[in-house]
Amino acid sequence: MLDPQLLRNDLDAVAEKLLVKGYQLDKKQFLDLEAQRKTLQVQVEDLRSQRNKASRKIGQTKAAGEDIQPLLDAVASLGDELKESEQSLISLQEKLNDLLAGIPNIPHESVPAGNDESDNIELRRWGQPGTFDFEPKDHVDLGAALGMDFEVAAKLTGSRYVVMQGALASMHRALTQFMLDTHSRQNGYTESYVPYIVNADSLLGTGQLPKFEEDLFKLNTEHDNYLIPTAEVPVTNILRDEIISADLLPFKRVAHTPCFRSEAGSYGRDTRGMIRQHQFEKVELVQAVRAEESWQALDELTGHAEGILQALNLPYRVVNLCGGDLGFGAAKTHDLEVWLPGQQAYREISSCTNFESFQARRMQARWRNPETGKPELLHTINGSGLAVGRTLVAVMENYQQQDGSIVVPDVLRTYMGGLEKIKA
RNA sequence: GGAGAGGUGGCAGAGCGGUUGAAUGCACUGGUCUUGAAAACCAGCAUAGGUUAGUAGCCUAUCCAGGGUUCGAAUCCCUGCCUCUCCGCCA
């Protein structure tokens, strides 16, 4: 959610910046509602004030033993009038809130204009795509002989799920362990275990609701519970409705969780293999910092995610998402795209985003500035470090041998009992 | 799942339906005192919204949440959520 003050004071500038995201702000609607709100709110508060004064007077008069009936008669009509005004105010505020909640975050000035991923700007590349003296296979073909089974998964559940058995399953776990260990031991993140099921308030806090419910798995419980689409939701919401002390900053958490996405609206995309699944594992990095440090934190966090790719010696590039490709709450996003020889393409493996105060305002996540003594909104930053399934895919494709075996990257071997090669 | 108890400011903990945004203690901040510190004493110390040029003043809301009764609710009633204790079940 944007700062309502900002909209009131600087509507034109906001509208202009939102165009970079391809969002047309309905200025007239906002101004109309805002004008009504102002009148109504003043009216309601004035009526309340009158009522409070009168009630106090009644109390005093009664205590003095005098007749209160005339005073009661005087306020008789006030109640109805107040109730009526309050109702109008409430319904107006709902409209205003809906409007406000539907406005995306303002993109940072360094975000390029553009409509889709073709307008994203490559910031840098790391590593050289390997050359093969044979035709490299994709992970589906490689995995078929090594224990990766989509057909059994389809029998168990349906499409877009996978079963892995043997060394591949083990490497999947090894990747997770390696990532968690790196971020918690070297990069200063506190490892966190969190629920995989959250309530609607949490999803509202991080912005998945109310707009993107169709992307989520909703549980058939009596409460509004959902499977998490990313650890970002439970981890960031730790701070919801909190005012934390300055010495707890920066707040840095790493969590490994499964993620569940319905992938509605992407029926034709990436149907092959485990690039786009309903259930996948992810190691997520979350930071919450004071406002002036968030841009530095985004770069730092991006670097932490890159460090995993570098340790695995996987070629990648970093992309600055254009306005049209940017998420609803994002001010700026760095996508990490890993090279997949099987597809001869760079594919997204991590998305590192600075939300500035957009999420924090929704969830009232604040810290107390000791210099002023006042609470201030935090800035939140998160990113995958990394998506485990896609990392497995990248390792398989980049480390494949002509005979269909896969060399185990050095950093994973201690996690796999010293295994050097996965073969059929 | 069954039975009971309870949710008040950073913490602890009062609070007959009436000037209670809320006693008191602790913590914290400033001051007096002191060579300095402690103690003692004095003062301050919630959050959000509105109005406004304003971090001034004024107004409104908030004692888990949502409804209700009332001129007036932290206080009464209903619903929900959460916590604790006991029993049952269970990784």
Side-chain angles (χ1 to χ4, degrees):
Chain A
M1 187 149 82
L2 293 177
D3 183 358
Q5 292 291 1
L6 187 66
L7 284 164
R8 282 177 212 153
N9 299 333
D10 233 344
L11 189 60
D12 289 328
V14 172
E16 182 139 347
K17 288 179 188 165
L18 288 174
L19 285 177
V20 175
K21 269 192 169 175
Y23 182 85
Q24 290 275 355
L25 182 61
D26 189 340
K27 289 194 279 189
K28 184 171 181 318
Q29 191 195 6
F30 177 78
L31 289 172
D32 284 353
L33 288 173
E34 179 56 22
Q36 289 178 52
R37 189 224 94 225
K38 203 161 175 168
T39 324
L40 263 177
Q41 185 165 346
V42 170
Q43 186 186 332
V44 165
E45 290 186 358
D46 185 55
L47 284 169
R48 279 191 193 139
S49 177
Q50 283 181 43
R51 184 205 58 196
N52 290 346
K53 279 204 186 80
S55 295
R56 222 169 290 155
K57 187 95 179 287
I58 292 172
Q60 287 166 351
T61 309
K62 201 174 170 188
E66 294 167 28
D67 182 18
I68 58 169
Q69 195 54 47
L71 292 169
L72 288 180
D73 294 342
V75 292
S77 65
L78 208 61
D80 291 339
E81 205 183 331
L82 180 59
K83 200 160 272 183
E84 204 175 301
S85 300
E86 277 176 335
Q87 279 310 320
S88 328
L89 183 61
I90 287 170
S91 71
L92 185 75
Q93 263 163 347
E94 274 168 14
K95 274 187 218 162
L96 204 53
N97 265 341
D98 288 349
L99 178 68
L100 233 45
I103 300 173
N105 198 6
I106 296 169
H108 188 251
E109 56 189 20
S110 63
V111 169
N115 299 318
D116 54 42
E117 56 188 291
S118 64
D119 295 316
N120 294 343
I121 290 180
E122 183 178 301
L123 297 176
R124 56 184 173 271
R125 287 190 185 204
W126 186 92
Q128 287 290 326
T131 52
F132 295 86
D133 48 15
F134 57 94
E135 184 73 17
K137 295 176 181 162
D138 79 355
H139 69 281
V140 180
D141 290 339
L142 287 165
L146 302 175
M148 180 180 283
D149 195 329
F150 296 96
E151 283 170 29
V152 169
K155 178 178 77 176
L156 301 180
T157 312
S159 65
R160 293 194 192 276
Y161 292 89
V162 69
V163 167
M164 287 184 280
Q165 304 185 74
L168 276 186
S170 174
M171 184 150 81
H172 189 253
R173 174 168 59 86
L175 283 166
T176 309
Q177 303 282 85
F178 168 64
M179 292 177 197
L180 277 173
D181 286 347
T182 303
H183 295 310
S184 61
R185 290 175 191 163
Q186 291 173 28
N187 297 335
Y189 293 81
T190 302
E191 185 170 344
S192 305
Y193 173 83
V194 292
Y196 305 153
I197 293 173
V198 293
N199 57 31
D201 282 344
S202 294
L203 290 157
L204 283 164
T206 30
Q208 283 78 15
L209 289 179
K211 286 200 74 177
F212 305 102
E213 179 160 22
E214 69 277 9
D215 296 335
L216 300 168
F217 283 106
K218 186 171 186 175
L219 296 179
N220 194 18
T221 58
E222 54 186 304
H223 307 291
D224 278 347
N225 286 149
Y226 299 80
L227 296 175
I228 57 170
T230 160
E232 166 195 345
V233 179
V235 175
T236 313
N237 273 282
I238 289 171
L239 297 169
R240 171 153 54 87
D241 293 324
E242 300 287 341
I243 303 174
I244 64 170
S245 94
D247 49 315
L248 294 176
L249 297 177
F251 175 93
K252 294 171 74 175
R253 295 291 182 277
V254 58
H256 156 243
T257 70
C259 304
F260 303 93
R261 300 189 184 176
S262 77
E263 295 295 347
S266 60
Y267 293 112
R269 297 188 71 188
D270 301 314
T271 48
R272 180 177 165 84
M274 55 184 294
I275 293 291
R276 195 176 297 274
Q277 303 268 287
H278 290 308
Q279 170 187 317
F280 61 96
E281 306 283 307
K282 188 153 60 67
V283 171
E284 182 75 1
L285 304 173
V286 174
Q287 292 200 30
V289 303
R290 49 188 79 190
E292 61 270 23
E293 289 169 2
S294 68
W295 292 106
Q296 193 191 327
L298 174 64
D299 287 338
E300 181 196 282
L301 186 145
T302 307
H304 292 151
E306 286 181 65
I308 300 295
L309 289 167
Q310 290 174 11
L312 292 166
N313 203 24
L314 294 168
Y316 68 90
R317 62 176 193 159
V318 184
V319 164
N320 182 14
L321 294 194
C322 74
D325 212 18
L326 218 49
F328 181 73
K332 183 176 183 174
T333 296
H334 293 147
D335 266 9
L336 268 48
E337 298 182 346
V338 70
W339 177 254
L340 294 184
Q343 294 193 5
Q344 289 292 302
Y346 285 99
R347 293 302 309 263
E348 179 189 335
I349 196 165
S350 171
S351 207
C352 304
T353 299
N354 184 2
F355 295 88
E356 297 194 285
S357 60
F358 193 84
Q359 291 181 329
R361 183 170 295 102
R362 283 187 176 222
M363 66 173 92
Q364 286 299 300
R366 293 170 291 172
W367 65 288
R368 192 176 296 278
N369 187 337
E371 286 168 27
T372 60
K374 295 292 176 193
E376 294 179 21
L377 289 170
L378 289 159
H379 278 200
T380 55
I381 300 100
N382 67 51
S384 349
L386 305 160
V388 180
R390 289 187 182 181
T391 309
L392 178 72
V393 167
V395 169
M396 289 170 71
E397 296 195 9
N398 282 281
Y399 281 81
Q400 64 178 293
Q401 308 297 305
Q402 185 152 21
D403 62 1
S405 65
I406 291 162
V407 171
V408 176
D410 289 341
V411 293
L412 298 183
R413 290 183 185 178
T414 54
Y415 293 96
M416 297 181 65
L419 187 70
E420 292 176 10
K421 196 183 256 192
I422 299 176
K423 49 193 168 195

